[in-house]
Amino acid sequence: MRKDRLRQYLQIVLAALVVVTSALATRVIWERSALSTARSTGETRAELVAQTISDTIAQNAHFPLVLALDPDVQATLAEPAPDVIDALNRKLETIEASGSPAALYVMRPDGYTLAASNWNTQGSFVGQYYGFRSYFTQAIANGEGTYFGIGVTTGRAGYFIARAVGSTQPAGVAVAKIEFDDLEAIWARAAEHIMVTDENDIIFLASRPEWKYRSLAPVDETAITRIQSTRQYAGTEIEQLRMDEHTPDGDQVWAEGLPDNGSFLRQTVHIPELGWTVNQLTDLSSVADARRDGTMIGATGSALVIAILFYLAQRQRSLAIERAARADLEQRVAERTSALREVNDTLHVEVEERRRTERELRSAQNDLIQAGKLAALGQMSAAIAHEINQPLTAMRTYIATTRVFVPLGDPGAILDNLEKVDNLAVRMGRITSHLKSFARKEGMGPAEVISADRAVHKALDLVDVQLQADAITIRKSIVPAFTRGNDVRLEQVIINLVRNAIDAVQEAPEPVVEVSMHTANGRIFIEVRDHGPGFDPAILETLFDPFVTTKPSGAGLGLGLTISYEIIHEFGGTLRAANHPEGGAVLTVELVAVDEASSPSPTEVADNG
């Protein structure tokens, strides 16, 4: 009995040693594997960042050379007449708009900017002195120059590439500025930890704004003096970024701004042609997780093997217990299966109920949109009736005079009256046609290619009588464009926005409503601006919520903008509200522009009508 107990103790101690050894070994293996994976991933990311920066600069490096060889640039530097400078400004603006540089400009030999692509903006480079910048002095001395720094005029950082105009005696310098704001935004959205440093270990590009213009190591006085003389970083005081090293070789660190309990793998890739270094910080939380998982798997695996061995050794004694446990397990599985079946049936019922609710909600939303259109027609009915009544009265007058002219045998007067009656009939027909198409209840069918400008014009035709009745001036600037959606629903949105603008200028001494439409970068922008008091800033963020209104009590339910927002959202666009800098409110509808070639044919339109 005593020997059996001693043997059991020895077996337990041996099993414990095996479990601990297996756990430690597996922990080391998994940790090294995870660290190797993190190292490979970080290295790939750092190389990709370096390549992206190099490619961005390479894509724009030809612009200064092309400008330096351009006859217009050379002629303007030779004879800088105002009209010639203006033409060069516009040419640079066109080139910059079709390319990717942030700015293109031409400098005189004395360091002053002669022409620039941003000549008509608030931060124009024209007339500014940049002779102290090293890219200018390098270009004058060596024919070309590069430089990274914060713009003196714009305050925006960028990389400058310069080329001298003329081979022997430079007549000026052509410069292209490249900005990396989009690249930094991509890093930030991807939650990357990236720093790009210059030859002085000063961070000038980073995924975190608080890292920028701080150094990874102390900067000597000579470099500080040179940076200040060229105003490279616009007078920013260079402070050292706090960074703690967790390993002797410094490859695992923590940097200020990152989680306090975190550890990060630091990997660098040098860009020799620029003298820059990309620092990639890879989160090592996955290595800690792998270390923990490896320990657990090693311990669990070895314990499982030992348990199997114990099980085999004592199988005969535990056979009865095993049978009882199996029966109990089968009973639990049956109970669990039954419970899961009931839950599954309940989920099917809930899913079907949700689908029914969504259908009812969509139907209610469609009815609410139709009610909004009818409400708008009701509010405009008096003005529309007055607009139609005038042509009817005039037509009766012309018909009465025609009866007088017939016995007199005056065909000229008769034809003139008939032409006037016809024009009045066409005018009433256009109004009633817009009313019929606008009042028609639209279904929730698929979006079609529609003429956005035509929908805007039709909407303005419907509110024109109200504008005339209220003596409101309407200013229009509309360009042709096509989008995907529903023309009647787009008309309703424009009518809602214009009617809101009409309400906003009722008390204005000179009521004016502006409707403009333009396209840019594959998007359509429709803006409705009033010259009223503007929005209260306190409700701007909740303006599109249901039952939020700026009108007096009883003047509206606060659903018009909510319905308009949902309609534009269904079209794949956005609806924004803001206060105009010069006063009044402005609401902007942004839609996706499509090619006119994809619009339906007249036959298709007739079939759909």
Side-chain angles (χ1 to χ4, degrees):
M1 186 70 177
R2 187 175 180 180
K3 291 183 178 180
D4 291 341
R5 183 174 297 176
L6 181 59
R7 185 169 59 253
Q8 290 178 356
Y9 287 154
L10 290 175
Q11 289 175 349
I12 292 174
V13 172
L14 181 61
L17 289 175
V18 172
V19 170
V20 172
T21 304
S22 176
L24 292 176
T26 309
R27 170 178 176 168
V28 172
I29 293 173
W30 280 59
E31 180 181 12
R32 291 180 178 177
S33 176
L35 185 59
S36 176
T37 301
R39 194 180 302 277
S40 177
T41 301
E43 182 179 353
T44 301
R45 289 176 177 173
E47 291 176 351
L48 180 60
V49 170
Q51 186 62 44
T52 302
I53 293 174
S54 298
D55 290 346
T56 301
I57 294 175
Q59 290 171 1
N60 298 277
H62 64 283
F63 282 103
L65 177 60
V66 172
L67 292 179
L69 299 176
D70 188 275
D72 292 340
V73 174
Q74 296 175 357
T76 304
L77 287 170
E79 296 182 6
D83 56 338
V84 178
I85 294 176
D86 181 67
L88 182 57
N89 280 330
R90 298 179 186 276
K91 181 174 184 178
L92 294 176
E93 180 183 15
T94 302
I95 296 173
E96 183 269 328
S98 62
S100 59
L104 296 171
Y105 53 102
V106 177
M107 300 175 62
R108 300 187 315 213
D110 59 0
Y112 283 91
T113 303
L114 180 65
S117 60
N118 61 358
W119 61 278
N120 59 346
T121 63
Q122 186 175 2
S124 172
F125 294 167
V126 176
Q128 299 293 333
Y129 178 72
Y130 303 126
F132 55 88
R133 291 294 202 185
S134 61
Y135 65 82
F136 175 77
T137 57
Q138 291 173 8
I140 291 294
N142 305 320
E144 57 182 335
T146 58
Y147 178 76
F148 185 92
I150 299 177
V152 177
T153 303
T154 63
R156 296 168 60 91
Y159 184 71
F160 299 83
I161 305 175
R163 285 275 187 169
V165 180
S167 55
T168 56
Q169 181 65 29
V173 174
V175 186
K177 180 183 180 183
I178 307 168
E179 295 182 356
F180 300 94
D181 293 351
D182 293 341
L183 192 57
E184 289 181 310
I186 293 173
W187 298 342
R189 286 196 299 269
E192 296 281 2
H193 308 303
I194 297 173
M195 316 172 183
V196 182
T197 60
D198 61 12
E199 65 275 6
N200 297 312
D201 282 337
I202 297 176
I203 303 169
F204 60 90
L205 294 178
S207 57
R208 303 179 69 91
E210 64 267 25
W211 288 348
K212 294 181 69 172
Y213 313 124
R214 302 177 71 177
S215 65
L216 298 181
V219 183
D220 59 58
E221 292 298 329
T222 303
I224 290 292
T225 302
R226 184 175 64 255
I227 291 171
Q228 292 176 347
S229 65
T230 60
R231 299 169 65 183
Q232 182 175 8
Y233 297 121
T236 303
E237 184 177 354
I238 307 299
E239 298 181 355
Q240 187 171 349
L241 179 69
R242 181 186 168 193
M243 183 176 289
D244 299 336
E245 296 184 354
H246 292 174
T247 54
D249 57 0
D251 66 336
Q252 296 183 27
V253 300
W254 170 89
E256 181 182 342
L258 298 177
D260 293 338
N261 59 347
S263 185
F264 299 83
L265 179 65
R266 178 184 179 185
Q267 295 171 285
T268 60
V269 173
H270 189 60
I271 309 177
E273 66 272 16
L274 301 174
W276 298 351
T277 302
V278 176
N279 294 263
Q280 166 76 35
L281 301 184
T282 304
D283 192 352
L284 293 181
S285 58
S286 60
V287 177
D289 293 341
R291 183 166 54 243
R292 179 199 61 209
D293 295 343
T295 302
M296 295 177 62
I297 291 174
T300 304
S302 59
L304 181 62
V305 172
I306 293 174
I308 293 175
L309 293 176
F310 274 111
Y311 167 76
L312 294 176
Q314 301 187 20
R315 177 170 180 167
Q316 296 301 323
R317 289 190 305 172
S318 61
L319 187 58
I321 300 176
E322 179 186 355
R323 290 174 181 172
R326 184 178 300 170
D328 182 63
L329 179 61
E330 290 177 354
Q331 181 181 358
R332 291 184 180 181
V333 169
E335 293 174 354
R336 183 61 175 167
T337 302
S338 177
L340 289 175
R341 187 178 295 109
E342 293 178 0
V343 172
N344 191 34
D345 293 340
T346 303
L347 286 176
H348 278 298
V349 173
E350 291 180 354
V351 169
E352 185 60 31
E353 181 68 19
R354 180 170 181 176
R355 289 175 178 172
R356 185 184 63 80
T357 303
E358 288 180 351
R359 289 194 297 269
E360 292 178 354
L361 178 62
R362 193 168 285 271
S363 177
Q365 183 187 27
N366 200 26
D367 292 341
L368 184 59
I369 292 173
Q370 181 66 13
K373 293 196 293 185
L374 295 179
L377 289 176
Q379 293 183 359
M380 294 187 296
S381 59
I384 292 174
H386 176 72
E387 181 70 8
I388 294 178
N389 188 54
Q390 287 182 333
L392 287 174
T393 302
M395 290 172 66
R396 287 197 299 268
T397 301
Y398 290 137
I399 291 172
T401 57
T402 300
R403 289 173 179 168
V404 174
F405 290 141
V406 168
L408 298 177
D410 189 352
I414 295 173
L415 291 177
D416 183 60
N417 282 355
L418 291 177
E419 183 178 358
K420 292 178 180 178
V421 170
D422 182 65
N423 291 336
L424 292 172
V426 170
R427 176 183 174 187
M428 290 190 297
R430 185 175 71 253
I431 295 174
T432 56
S433 174
H434 289 351
L435 289 174
K436 286 192 298 181
S437 63
F438 180 72
R440 185 175 67 249
K441 186 174 182 179
E442 296 293 328
M444 300 295 289
E448 301 177 345
V449 176
I450 63 172
S451 172
D453 56 297
R454 182 172 60 189
V456 174
H457 281 299
K458 290 174 69 176
L460 293 178
D461 284 344
L462 287 175
V463 298
D464 183 62
V465 292
Q466 186 174 0
L467 290 168
Q468 294 180 11
D470 294 339
I472 296 174
T473 302
I474 180 74
R475 298 173 182 171
K476 298 179 289 185
S477 176
I478 302 170
V479 299
F482 290 84
T483 186
R484 285 193 175 274
N486 181 285
D487 51 357
V488 176
R489 292 194 172 198
L490 182 57
E491 289 176 36
Q492 182 182 3
V493 172
I494 303 304
I495 288 176
N496 282 344
L497 301 185
V498 174
R499 290 183 65 250
N500 285 344
I502 292 173
D503 293 339
V505 299
Q506 289 292 338
E507 303 299 330
E510 295 183 1
V512 176
V513 174
E514 299 181 8
V515 180
S516 64
M517 173 178 166
H518 66 279
T519 59
N521 300 323
R523 310 289 288 183
I524 299 174
F525 299 90
I526 305 173
E527 294 184 352
V528 178
R529 179 201 169 189
D530 63 67
H531 286 238
F535 292 118
D536 184 351
I539 69 168
L540 269 177
E541 295 184 358
T542 61
L543 189 62
F544 299 109
D545 292 346
F547 308 112
V548 174
T549 179
T550 59
K551 298 179 181 179
S553 177
L557 294 178
L559 293 175
L561 287 180
T562 303
I563 294 173
S564 300
Y565 182 87
E566 293 297 331
I567 292 174
I568 297 302
H569 182 72
E570 289 180 5
F571 294 170
T574 59
L575 176 59
R576 300 186 299 273
N579 285 320
H580 198 276
E582 298 179 1
V586 57
L587 288 103
T588 303
V589 175
E590 181 178 347
L591 299 169
V592 178
V594 299
D595 190 1
E596 182 179 0
S598 63
S599 60
S601 64
T603 303
E604 294 173 334
V605 173
D607 293 341
N608 294 332

